Amino acid sequence: DGALTYIGIRQFGIEAEGNLLLTTLIHAWGAGPALVAAKLFSSACGLMLFAVAVYRLLAAVAAACIGFAVIPWIALLLSV
């Protein structure tokens, strides 16, 4: 997800990112640091869900990431 986002915003501009919080961070910190921070935060949240054995919620969040982030970026990048 992070690599696809980085490639996508490099190719199409920051406006291609649909997450307003991430877009704000990218404007403030730059693409690399903002994406690393976002991925570290999401990884920490995933680890916390795993640590407290909330597996169904963890699976739902992973599926949402694939559905709302990975697939749209792949579709956009393959369309050019």
Side-chain angles (χ1 to χ4, degrees):
D1 171 42
L4 290 170
T5 302
Y6 185 79
I7 293 166
I9 63 172
R10 298 273 295 165
Q11 187 166 353
F12 301 109
I14 297 172
E15 295 76 26
E17 174 55 47
N19 181 330
L20 183 58
L21 177 60
L22 187 55
T23 302
T24 303
L25 287 176
I26 292 170
H27 279 292
W29 298 348
L35 290 169
V36 168
K39 293 299 115 193
L40 287 173
F41 179 74
S42 64
S43 296
C45 291
L47 285 172
M48 284 189 283
L49 290 174
F50 181 79
V52 295
V54 187
Y55 302 120
R56 288 186 183 181
L57 181 58
L58 182 57
V61 171
C65 179
I66 291 169
F68 296 117
V70 174
I71 292 173
W73 275 123
I74 290 173
L76 181 63
L77 292 170
L78 290 176
S79 70
V80 288

